[in-house]
Amino acid sequence: MLASIYTIDDSVELTQRSQEWLTLADKVNGIPPFCRPEAWIPALHALLNDLPAVGSRKLCQAVIVEVREGEELLAVYALYRKGNHLCSLTENHIDYQDIITVDLAAAGLALKTSVNYAAESGLVFIIGHVSDQSILAQIIEAQTPFSNAWLNRRFFSVCIVSDHEFASGTSDEFFKSIPKRLKKSYRSGTNRMKSQDPPFEVDYLWGADIQPADIEAIGQLHRENQQSRTGSSPFDEPEFVQFLQQLANSLPSLFLSRYTCDGKLIAFCLGYASDNTFYFYITDYDRSYAYVSPGVNLLIKTAIYLVDHFQGKHFRIDFLLGSEAYKSHWETGRYYVDRVVVIPKSIRTLPWAIGYHLGYRLKEIKNRIRKIGPGSS
């Protein structure tokens, strides 16, 4: 097997190379939609278009690692280079990333090649968010310690899942399987909605049916509610809005559900729907309508719609990153995501390595005290 690295400066070249990556992804089962090229290609497009060149030098470059056996592509790993960092797309609104591969050894070579590239270039390699269910997690365990780099790893987030099994694959059976408190909230909110004039309306949009105006509307609602949360809304970033707009055109499994009343957006759920699973990405609702529980009601309606759409005997809601309290009401299981950073071994990078090591150990101690992370329960 032979590994190659390509640095790409513009969106045109990225598009020209993309078909082979898409073909490879179609050969691999069980890839979360946001780990597919249809998701990370728009993320790279947004980065390349958002950051202009300084003179003849681009502020950002896509870095693509490919592994082949002869002419056959076996693995691809998408990264980007910005300043002194080599980063995965988890730094740009993708919950976690994985190496797309049909061969575990090829994935291992892709990671090794990425680490070597970072070490030779003197770059801090932010592998970023790594799910404990991913191929990337397996090969990090197998390859560490690296001979030419220091690895820092800490718990980052829990991902709560809600699994439902039923005999016939109907939404009636799904509704029976959800916790009583959620059923009660749903029925109470639905009854209040029925008395509303004008009435509430719900609709569902897939992929390219999601228009820029739809993304702007959900972004406005999210920004308006940001004052009740810490930090800033991702919709404040033009690059994120551009990413979502391109994602809608490239990824058919992107899914938006929403409540409206007299044309006004009341609540939305944006995620990915694929293989009997809804990956719950981002949501919000108008706080002035809290009395009808629009958030939980829309999520239940979304799940009912998707159960009927997939017609399988199993349905999962994957709540992705974050441990917000409302997710625990749905929980039937969980998995974990770590944050991983690789720093090349040199005198110049030693202060960075010490800083990351101390910072990550401090986080680890805080998590133990707060009983957060694997083995905490």
Side-chain angles (χ1 to χ4, degrees), residues 27 82 95 110 121 126 143 165 173 176 181 186-187 208-209 230 254 267-268 292 297 316 323 358 368:
K27 298 177 182 178
K82 183 181 177 184
D95 283 70
S121 305
I126 301 179
Q143 291 191 11
E165 307 285 345
E173 287 193 79
K176 291 176 184 177
R181 65 181 298 169
Y186 178 78
R187 287 168 176 150
D209 291 333
T230 58
L254 188 69
F268 74 89
V292 295
N297 270 35
R316 165 176 280 198
S323 55
L358 294 177
R368 286 177 181 173

Side-chain angles (χ1 to χ4, degrees), residues 163-305:
D163 285 306
H164 303 267
E165 307 285 345
F166 18 73
S168 64
T170 65
S171 56
D172 287 343
E173 287 193 79
F174 164 76
F175 189 77
K176 291 176 184 177
S177 73
I178 67 176
K180 290 181 179 179
R181 65 181 298 169
L182 294 174
K183 292 176 188 171
K184 182 178 179 181
S185 177
Y186 178 78
R187 287 168 176 150
S188 174
T190 300
N191 288 335
R192 293 191 182 103
M193 285 181 185
K194 288 178 180 178
S195 64
Q196 180 79 24
D197 186 27
F200 281 76
E201 297 180 355
V202 61
D203 63 340
Y204 310 98
L205 300 173
W206 292 86
D209 291 333
I210 304 170
Q211 300 299 307
D214 301 321
I215 293 172
E216 176 54 37
I218 66 175
Q220 181 177 343
L221 179 58
H222 198 272
R223 288 191 295 268
E224 289 172 352
N225 287 329
Q226 191 59 40
Q227 60 186 359
S228 64
R229 299 183 286 256
T230 58
S232 60
S233 167
F235 289 94
D236 288 335
E237 304 172 31
E239 170 257 312
F240 177 63
V241 175
Q242 181 187 348
F243 162 63
L244 288 182
Q245 290 173 349
Q246 294 191 5
L247 189 64
N249 289 325
S250 67
L251 190 65
S253 59
L254 188 69
F255 184 79
L256 173 65
S257 59
R258 60 191 178 184
Y259 268 135
T260 57
C261 182
D262 198 25
K264 180 183 179 182
L265 181 65
I266 305 303
F268 74 89
C269 292
L270 180 67
Y272 312 88
S274 175
D275 297 327
N276 297 308
T277 301
F278 180 52
Y279 298 89
F280 191 72
Y281 182 41
I282 191 166
T283 187
D284 216 331
Y285 67 92
D286 187 327
R287 300 302 190 266
S288 65
Y289 289 86
Y291 66 95
V292 295
S293 304
V296 65
N297 270 35
L298 183 57
L299 178 53
I300 292 173
K301 278 195 174 295
T302 298
I304 287 171
Y305 171 88

Side-chain angles (χ1 to χ4, degrees), residues 61-372:
Q61 285 184 314
V63 177
I64 308 296
V65 183
E66 294 182 350
V67 177
R68 296 177 183 273
E69 186 74 70
E71 295 294 318
E72 183 184 2
L73 182 64
L74 299 180
V76 61
Y77 190 24
L79 307 165
Y80 69 94
R81 179 173 179 169
K82 183 181 177 184
N84 294 320
H85 295 85
L86 179 66
C87 305
S88 77
L89 274 303
T90 66
E91 301 305 290
N92 293 83
H93 310 295
I94 291 178
D95 283 70
Y96 53 84
Q97 195 175 346
D98 208 353
I99 296 173
I100 296 177
T101 187
V102 292
D103 184 285
L104 197 60
L109 180 56
L111 178 63
K112 183 178 180 180
T113 302
S114 304
V115 172
N116 290 343
Y117 172 80
E120 291 165 5
S121 305
L123 304 173
V124 174
F125 181 14
I126 301 179
I127 297 178
H129 306 159
V130 179
S131 163
D132 63 8
Q133 300 182 332
S134 66
I135 290 173
L136 195 49
Q138 295 179 49
I139 57 179
I140 288 173
E141 290 289 344
Q143 291 191 11
T144 52
F146 299 114
S147 61
N148 56 351
W150 293 291
L151 180 135
N152 290 276
R153 183 174 187 170
R154 67 171 176 86
F155 164 74
F156 180 76
S157 179
V158 63
C159 294
I160 289 171
V161 299
S162 183
D163 285 306
H164 303 267
E165 307 285 345
F166 18 73
S168 64
T170 65
S171 56
D172 287 343
E173 287 193 79
F174 164 76
F175 189 77
K176 291 176 184 177
S177 73
I178 67 176
K180 290 181 179 179
R181 65 181 298 169
L182 294 174
K183 292 176 188 171
K184 182 178 179 181
S185 177
Y186 178 78
R187 287 168 176 150
S188 174
T190 300
N191 288 335
R192 293 191 182 103
M193 285 181 185
K194 288 178 180 178
S195 64
Q196 180 79 24
D197 186 27
F200 281 76
E201 297 180 355
V202 61
D203 63 340
Y204 310 98
L205 300 173
W206 292 86
D209 291 333
I210 304 170
Q211 300 299 307
D214 301 321
I215 293 172
E216 176 54 37
I218 66 175
Q220 181 177 343
L221 179 58
H222 198 272
R223 288 191 295 268
E224 289 172 352
N225 287 329
Q226 191 59 40
Q227 60 186 359
S228 64
R229 299 183 286 256
T230 58
S232 60
S233 167
F235 289 94
D236 288 335
E237 304 172 31
E239 170 257 312
F240 177 63
V241 175
Q242 181 187 348
F243 162 63
L244 288 182
Q245 290 173 349
Q246 294 191 5
L247 189 64
N249 289 325
S250 67
L251 190 65
S253 59
L254 188 69
F255 184 79
L256 173 65
S257 59
R258 60 191 178 184
Y259 268 135
T260 57
C261 182
D262 198 25
K264 180 183 179 182
L265 181 65
I266 305 303
F268 74 89
C269 292
L270 180 67
Y272 312 88
S274 175
D275 297 327
N276 297 308
T277 301
F278 180 52
Y279 298 89
F280 191 72
Y281 182 41
I282 191 166
T283 187
D284 216 331
Y285 67 92
D286 187 327
R287 300 302 190 266
S288 65
Y289 289 86
Y291 66 95
V292 295
S293 304
V296 65
N297 270 35
L298 183 57
L299 178 53
I300 292 173
K301 278 195 174 295
T302 298
I304 287 171
Y305 171 88
L306 291 173
V307 168
D308 285 336
H309 173 80
F310 289 127
Q311 296 185 335
K313 296 183 179 180
H314 170 262
F315 182 71
R316 165 176 280 198
I317 303 173
D318 185 332
F319 286 93
L320 297 176
L321 300 179
S323 55
E324 293 88 343
Y326 74 89
K327 296 180 180 180
S328 65
H329 301 156
W330 289 86
E331 182 175 0
T332 62
R334 56 177 52 192
Y335 61 97
Y336 298 94
V337 172
D338 285 349
R339 183 163 179 81
V340 181
V341 175
V342 176
I343 302 173
K345 291 181 178 178
S346 72
I347 297 299
R348 183 178 68 86
T349 59
L350 185 59
W352 295 343
I354 293 172
Y356 271 106
H357 176 77
L358 294 177
Y360 276 27
R361 296 294 75 75
L362 181 60
K363 282 278 190 180
E364 192 175 81
I365 292 169
K366 288 182 177 178
N367 288 339
R368 286 177 181 173
I369 293 172
R370 295 165 63 192
K371 297 183 178 180
I372 297 173

